[in-house]
Amino acid sequence: MLKDNNTPAVVSLAAGGVAGGIEGFLSYPLEFAKTRVQLRAEKGVPTPRNPFRVVTQVYQNEGIRALYKGCGALVVGSIAKDGVRFLFFDQIKESFADPETGTLSPLRNLLAGMTAGVIASITAVTPTERIKTALIDDARTEKRFRGGFHATATIWKEHGILGLYRGFAGTTLKQASATAFRMGTYNILKDYEKKRNIEQNTAVNFANGSVAGVVTTLATQPFDVIKTRSQSARGTTTAEAVKSILLDYGIRGFWKGTTMRLGRTVFSGGILFTSYEAAVKIIMPLYSGVKHTPGVEAS
């Protein structure tokens, strides 16, 4: 399984948050490039497929700060999202486990991930993704947002809380499916390796996370494109986003940015799970020390 069942929930939450923050920051330029490609381009202007070319062009034309526009929102969202995802995945996984063996079938692994993804979308992902996407879109058009807090306040003032949850349906579909495939695939690979006594080290964790990233991207890309369109600076409904994608690019448009997202998810999947496993090893002794100190209760 993904982790030892004896690992406390608070350790899962903290380690997941640390891993999410590290992964979000290191992989952000590739996320930025992918989001730029998925947003509506100017008519007649070709969109490069190479993420490094997009990053280079933005750096040359707009500077290094433009590449990290919206990064703060993504990192905050990643800390919350992955903390929640690891916490709830581990808790849900235990309830889905076979009572006799304590293990999960591949289908139950996917169902546990799907449930954790829905919870993460409601509690953290949708509003932070909305702010990140709006900031990236605004930076190439009107440039009216001064930063994440200003964008949040402006959207709240203009549209209320529903404005921050624009694209909720697309985001939740993406999160439910992405978490199911990412966490499920990683867990399935790890179970397979443990049965064959394959050592779980940094290289194996990174490889498993990368494979999980590839599977996740190919299976969930349409939801990601719909989410991005819904969460542009002005925002649209999910139905309007679907219609605009079909009008602009046809069915193939639902896989817009796949190459760029693959570049990010292979990299980020490896970082996420490697960071999580490392964070658990660091945090667990600290937690155990506090828990077993006489007269001190762990939170």
Side-chain angles (χ1 to χ4, degrees), residues 85-96:
R85 284 203 300 188
F86 277 101
L87 169 64
F88 280 96
F89 180 77
D90 289 338
Q91 300 305 307
I92 294 165
K93 183 180 68 178
E94 289 181 11
S95 66
F96 283 8

Side-chain angles (χ1 to χ4, degrees), residues 192-213:
Y192 177 85
E193 291 160 356
K194 282 191 171 182
K195 288 177 182 177
R196 285 154 182 79
N197 297 317
I198 297 174
E199 183 184 355
Q200 296 298 296
N201 53 37
T202 299
V204 171
N205 292 336
F206 194 96
N208 289 347
S210 296
V211 171

Side-chain angles (χ1 to χ4, degrees), residues 68-298:
Y68 277 86
K69 193 80 170 178
C71 181
L74 181 80
V75 169
V76 170
S78 294
I79 291 171
K81 171 187 71 177
D82 288 306
V84 168
R85 284 203 300 188
F86 277 101
L87 169 64
F88 280 96
F89 180 77
D90 289 338
Q91 300 305 307
I92 294 165
K93 183 180 68 178
E94 289 181 11
S95 66
F96 283 8
D98 185 290
E100 294 183 2
T101 64
T103 60
L104 280 79
S105 66
L107 178 59
R108 289 186 177 186
N109 264 314
L110 295 176
L111 287 174
M114 187 178 295
T115 307
V118 171
I119 295 170
S121 179
I122 295 169
T123 58
V125 181
T126 299
T128 53
E129 281 285 318
R130 165 67 162 133
I131 298 303
K132 178 215 72 178
T133 305
L135 283 166
I136 292 174
D137 190 27
D138 179 73
R140 73 190 183 110
T141 53
E142 299 179 66
K143 296 181 173 62
R144 65 183 185 133
F145 297 147
R146 295 192 296 271
F149 289 112
H150 182 245
T152 303
T154 302
I155 292 170
W156 181 283
K157 182 179 179 181
E158 294 177 353
H159 305 289
I161 191 169
L162 292 179
L164 294 175
Y165 275 83
R166 181 75 76 181
F168 173 73
T171 304
T172 302
L173 285 170
K174 178 204 167 186
Q175 281 302 310
S177 55
T179 306
F181 283 106
R182 174 171 275 195
M183 308 289 273
T185 301
Y186 183 84
N187 221 32
I188 290 166
L189 289 171
K190 193 166 184 179
D191 282 346
Y192 177 85
E193 291 160 356
K194 282 191 171 182
K195 288 177 182 177
R196 285 154 182 79
N197 297 317
I198 297 174
E199 183 184 355
Q200 296 298 296
N201 53 37
T202 299
V204 171
N205 292 336
F206 194 96
N208 289 347
S210 296
V211 171
V214 172
V215 173
T216 301
T217 299
L218 296 178
T220 66
Q221 187 64 16
F223 300 135
D224 190 62
V225 178
I226 293 168
K227 173 198 73 68
T228 298
R229 283 292 182 94
S230 297
Q231 295 180 329
S232 59
R234 290 298 179 182
T236 64
T237 65
T238 299
E240 289 170 342
V242 171
K243 183 179 178 180
S244 72
I245 294 165
L246 287 170
L247 289 173
D248 287 350
Y249 305 110
I251 293 295
R252 293 177 63 183
F254 290 104
W255 276 267
K256 195 80 171 172
T258 297
T259 303
M260 295 188 181
R261 189 169 170 229
L262 269 174
R264 178 177 183 265
T265 53
V266 169
F267 180 56
S268 67
I271 291 174
L272 178 68
F273 288 104
T274 303
S275 298
Y276 175 78
E277 302 284 6
V280 167
K281 290 178 181 177
I282 295 170
I283 296 170
M284 188 63 180
L286 299 175
Y287 174 86
S288 299
V290 171
K291 185 176 181 181
H292 295 114
T293 300
V296 176
E297 293 293 330

Side-chain angles (χ1 to χ4, degrees), residues 22 32 102 183:
I22 293 171
F32 176 93
M183 308 289 273

